[in-house]
Amino acid sequence: MDCAKLFRVKPGSKVKLTDWDPSVTHGFKDKDAAKAELAENVDKLEHLQTMLYAEGRRSLLLVLQGMDTSGKDGTVRHVFSGLNPTGVEVTSFGKPTERELDHDFLWRIHARTPRRGMIGVFNRSHYEDVLVVRVANLQPKAVWSERYDQINDFETMLTENGTTILKCFLHISKDEQRTRLQERLKDPEKNWKFQPGDLAVRKQWDAYQAAYEDALGKCSTPHAPWHIIPANNKWFRNLAVSELLVQTLEAMKCELPKASAEVLKLKVE
Ligand code: AMP
Ligand code: MG
């Protein structure tokens, strides 16, 4: 399955989310059919991460966005399960603090970008500044509409400085969200995830989809592409994201640093 080809948003294109089926599974029948492949990807990732860490020259940033219950947390849990925690840094971005609001919107984001050798995962990100900020009217249009270009410039700068960027929008349907929100209310183990505000946000579903369409279309660039991941099936979502990570890390062709001639001459007595 070539996930880059299947799910990548063409730079400069206009996105219509209703054209993207959130339930497709591209030939995988069910969870069991995908199990072996996911396990294989998790194994590959472990090796690729070690190479990235050992090389120590570049980093990878995975940006995860999606509506409530789209599975941002679940993706992190499943896809990164086999990795060495030392090399992965997950940041969840919530409402900015007063102090953060006293800076430009990218200030808190830049502080959390992965250093050399690391994989950084953003659970929500600077894209909230053209999503919730736009839909909830937290800033006037004159402010948020400038941010698409600012984000593209920021991501270009990161890329030019050694960070490879991979962005995934976890795409679920409104029906699937209802099921998952109901689950959060019903299941005592999941109650804690339910926030009363989630229902108000759900009421603005269409406005959020429109905001996502703009963000995905305007900010999918050759160096920092967006992918629209069909996420109604959790197992397929995990498989697709893991596949993209493997593809991306393989393309980076990380190499182990060579020992210097002096080191090679040393003997351990
Ligand atoms: P959760 O991911 O469920 O923990 O919720 C995090 C909350 O923080 C969501 O309601 C986001 O919309 C909100 N949030 C994240 N970034 C921003 C931002 N830049 N401005 C306002 N709200 C934000
Ligand atoms: Mg939430």
Side-chain angles (χ1 to χ4, degrees):
M1 186 169 54
D2 187 347
C3 288
K5 229 189 198 142
L6 287 168
F7 307 133
R8 186 163 293 183
V9 177
K10 264 216 211 92
S13 65
K14 227 175 148 37
V15 175
K16 238 179 90 197
L17 281 171
T18 47
D19 291 344
W20 296 74
D21 181 356
S23 293
V24 292
T25 56
H26 290 282
F28 289 89
K29 210 170 76 249
D30 54 21
K31 188 175 179 173
D32 279 345
K35 213 171 169 175
E37 199 126 341
L38 176 63
E40 201 181 302
N41 284 346
V42 170
D43 268 3
K44 279 188 192 164
L45 282 176
E46 190 190 357
H47 168 71
L48 289 162
Q49 178 203 24
T50 307
M51 296 293 287
L52 179 77
Y53 194 81
E55 185 194 71
R57 288 197 295 117
R58 293 171 290 166
S59 61
L60 174 68
L61 172 62
L62 171 67
V63 174
L64 292 175
Q65 282 285 162
M67 300 293 288
D68 287 324
T69 74
S70 61
K72 300 180 288 295
D73 296 301
T75 303
V76 175
R77 230 174 19 250
H78 285 93
V79 174
F80 293 92
S81 59
L83 299 199
N84 180 351
T86 310
V88 185
E89 204 164 39
V90 182
T91 307
S92 299
F93 288 98
K95 268 195 180 151
T97 61
E98 285 292 316
R99 183 168 153 76
E100 286 167 346
L101 286 171
D102 281 340
H103 290 268
D104 67 89
F105 75 105
L106 292 168
W107 181 73
R108 67 173 185 156
I109 306 293
H110 200 172
R112 309 297 299 181
T113 52
R115 63 182 183 277
R116 299 181 205 294
M118 298 287 288
I119 298 179
V121 184
F122 284 178
N123 179 340
R124 300 190 194 266
S125 64
H126 41 305
Y127 283 93
E128 292 293 326
D129 294 283
V130 291
L131 294 165
V132 63
V133 168
R134 163 174 160 169
V135 176
N137 246 322
L138 302 180
Q139 292 283 350
K141 182 171 183 183
V143 171
W144 59 254
S145 61
E146 301 284 349
R147 289 182 172 170
Y148 302 99
D149 286 343
Q150 292 165 359
I151 288 174
N152 287 340
D153 288 345
F154 171 65
E155 292 180 354
T156 303
M157 184 278 290
L158 290 180
T159 311
E160 288 172 353
N161 283 277
T163 300
T164 297
I165 304 176
L166 178 64
K167 300 182 293 198
C168 292
F169 167 63
L170 308 181
H171 182 33
I172 55 167
S173 63
K174 199 174 177 189
D175 280 347
E176 180 63 24
Q177 193 195 48
R178 180 194 302 114
T179 309
R180 292 186 188 182
L181 282 174
Q182 272 166 351
E183 187 74 10
R184 283 188 181 178
L185 283 175
K186 241 182 18 215
D187 183 347
E189 298 252 320
K190 292 187 180 166
N191 279 173
W192 65 274
K193 279 197 162 192
F194 186 88
Q195 293 162 310
D198 293 351
L199 295 180
V201 172
R202 177 174 165 77
K203 284 213 175 92
Q204 294 171 301
W205 180 272
D206 291 342
Y208 272 100
Q209 298 290 294
Y212 265 111
E213 286 174 342
D214 275 351
L216 298 169
K218 290 177 197 284
C219 300
S220 194
T221 52
H223 55 276
W226 268 111
H227 300 81
I228 299 177
I229 307 294
N232 272 2
N233 295 290
K234 295 176 183 174
W235 56 269
F236 184 78
R237 170 203 78 202
N238 294 337
L239 179 64
V241 174
S242 68
E243 194 85 28
L244 278 171
L245 279 165
V246 168
Q247 261 184 306
T248 306
L249 279 163
E250 278 179 349
M252 288 172 75
K253 295 192 193 316
C254 293
E255 286 179 11
L256 295 175
K258 293 214 176 10
S260 65
E262 273 108 83
V263 167
L264 289 173
K265 271 190 263 164
L266 295 174
K267 280 211 166 65
V268 183
E269 300 290 343

